[in-house]
Amino acid sequence: MPYFLLAQVAVGVVAGGGSPVLDSLPLSLAAYAVSLPLVAVSGLFGLVRPMSVAAVRAMCAVPGERLAEGRARSWAARGRTAAWWTLHLGVGALVSGMTLAVPPMAVVLIALPFVSALREIPLGFGCLSTRTESYVAPLLGIGLLAGLVLCAAGATALLARLAPVLLGPTAADRLAAAEERAADLALRGRLARELHDAVGHALSAVTLQASAARRVLDSDPGFVREALAAIEDTTRRTVGELDAVLGLLREGDGTEAGRAGPAPTLAADLEGLLARSRAAGTPISTHQDPGPAGDWARLPALASREAYRIVQEGLSNALRHGAAPVDLRILVRERNGHSEMEITMTNGPAASPEVGEAREARTTGGRGLRGAAERAALLGGHVEAGRHEGGWRLRAVLPLGGAAR
């Protein structure tokens, strides 16, 4: 109606203002034709698409996955939205005009044989007027109502069929949606890895320490005090790491993301991790060679963090399955002109590999090793895990050049 009223003013000015536009069918149709380009221009605005999509979902029963989400950004999408907007309002205007005019005239035609006074009032056009024969008028009135219903149903079917074509997602919309889903899955995977590695290792260590302390509660109070101190230290550090992981969930609001503590690294936290694992009763021998870097602090931060988590996962498995002793080797070397870190963790033959596999399948479903592989893949490396000389070996190779990316 706003478009039509504006076009009506323009048509009235061009026609000279001799007669009101609404009193003349040709001028009314001219105003209707002039309003359509105005509708098309306004349909280019980005907010028209979400409004149109909401209307289609509510009234045309079109499945939501066949329609685009959000504002139209590309000009191709805006052009298609403008075509839909023009079709929707153009057809809607015709059906609305028919809805206003047809029912009253149909009622007059149906009542014409029973109300003789209606014949004295000149209404309608041609055969659809009060001059129509009385025995024909009711049939024409019923036909008008049926035609109105058919037109409305046809308009609905037309719009429902064309809505997915004109309001459906473009290639750019599908790409944006796929990128959003990929980012969401990546964040979920990152959170799952961090929670599994931080909390899983702590629970394994605390369980073993508490179990050992319970066994010697009466005979060795000194050991019990050491175990409780180790449990306190482990849980305190894990709470900090958990806060850091939860901080990832708040990165989107820009206010809380930086408040969580830094993630653990080889340089700052490896010795503490080894000490806590030894306190849980796992003998660990280590060989560390930072290579050309000179010390672990000079490693790329991302590589240092992911390497720490891989070592933590290996020690968690050793604690969980009781595979002692553990030999840990962390080496940085040059290969083909590129630096890479190799982490090798070998569990002694104290635990049966079959038992370890069964317990791992029951307790964690192998998620820890999958997480370690994902961490290595993040840097362009790989992880191997399997039986080795009667025990179990975890080997990870991390290219340090990929850490900068």
Side-chain angles (χ1 to χ4, degrees):
M1 187 58 68
Y3 299 103
F4 180 76
L5 292 177
L6 181 60
Q8 179 184 339
V9 173
V11 170
V13 171
V14 173
S19 62
V21 174
L22 292 179
D23 290 345
S24 171
L25 180 60
L27 292 181
S28 296
L29 294 177
Y32 171 80
V34 171
S35 66
L36 293 180
L38 301 178
V39 173
V41 171
S42 66
L44 296 175
F45 289 94
L47 289 176
V48 172
R49 188 170 73 172
M51 182 170 62
S52 298
V53 167
V56 169
R57 285 176 174 169
M59 294 186 288
C60 295
V62 176
E65 64 271 11
R66 300 182 63 188
L67 302 173
E69 296 287 348
R71 302 174 58 171
R73 293 178 173 83
S74 66
W75 283 108
R78 294 188 180 192
R80 292 166 55 189
T81 303
W84 160 265
W85 187 242
T86 305
L87 177 66
H88 181 191
L89 268 65
V91 173
L94 295 178
V95 174
S96 298
M98 293 171 60
T99 303
L100 291 173
V102 168
M105 191 63 209
V107 171
V108 169
L109 292 175
I110 293 173
L112 191 62
F114 311 102
V115 183
S116 58
L118 292 176
R119 293 186 171 277
E120 301 175 2
I121 305 175
L123 294 174
F125 301 94
C127 64
L128 300 176
S129 68
T130 52
R131 303 302 180 188
T132 304
E133 297 294 335
S134 299
Y135 61 89
V136 177
L139 297 177
L140 294 177
I142 295 174
L144 282 177
L145 293 177
L148 175 61
V149 172
L150 291 176
C151 287
T156 300
L158 174 66
L159 295 177
R161 179 178 292 273
L162 293 180
V165 177
L166 299 177
L167 297 178
T170 62
D173 294 326
R174 294 189 180 93
L175 179 60
E179 290 176 346
E180 184 177 354
R181 286 194 297 270
D184 180 65
L185 291 175
L187 178 58
R188 292 174 57 186
R190 181 182 177 189
L191 290 172
R193 290 194 302 270
E194 295 292 337
L195 287 173
H196 177 276
D197 292 347
V199 179
H201 174 80
L203 290 178
S204 297
V206 167
T207 300
L208 287 175
Q209 290 161 347
S211 176
R214 179 178 57 82
R215 292 192 183 97
V216 298
L217 180 61
D218 297 325
S219 60
D220 193 348
F223 178 82
V224 173
R225 284 193 293 270
E226 293 178 1
L228 292 176
I231 290 174
E232 180 184 5
D233 179 66
T234 300
T235 53
R236 182 185 298 111
R237 292 180 59 86
T238 304
V239 168
E241 292 186 23
L242 181 60
D243 185 53
V245 173
L246 296 179
L248 298 175
L249 293 173
R250 300 191 292 263
E251 287 183 353
D253 60 21
T255 59
E256 298 290 340
R259 298 185 185 179
T265 62
L266 282 181
D269 303 280
L270 178 60
E271 293 304 323
L273 174 65
L274 295 174
R276 292 190 298 276
S277 299
R278 291 186 178 112
T282 301
I284 303 173
S285 60
T286 63
H287 176 69
Q288 304 179 41
D289 182 5
D295 60 75
W296 300 122
R298 296 187 180 182
L299 291 176
L302 179 58
S304 186
R305 291 196 301 268
E306 301 302 335
Y308 175 89
R309 291 302 192 189
I310 292 174
V311 172
Q312 185 182 51
E313 172 57 28
L315 292 176
S316 296
N317 287 336
L319 292 173
R320 187 178 300 116
H321 304 309
V326 175
D327 180 62
L328 172 63
R329 295 177 177 269
I330 307 177
L331 308 175
V332 175
R333 62 191 181 188
E334 295 288 336
R335 174 176 292 184
N336 299 328
H338 300 282
S339 296
E340 66 179 21
M341 179 190 301
E342 182 178 15
I343 302 171
T344 305
M345 188 176 304
T346 305
N347 297 348
S352 168
E354 290 80 10
V355 174
E357 289 175 349
R359 291 185 63 184
E360 176 67 23
R362 185 179 69 250
T363 56
T364 66
R367 286 186 291 271
L369 293 179
R370 288 199 299 269
E374 291 171 358
R375 292 181 183 279
L378 179 66
L379 304 178
H382 63 277
V383 167
E384 302 170 358
R387 300 172 184 174
H388 179 73
E389 297 181 357
W392 189 266
R393 184 179 70 173
L394 172 68
R395 179 176 176 269
V397 177
L398 310 178
L400 299 181
R405 296 192 298 271

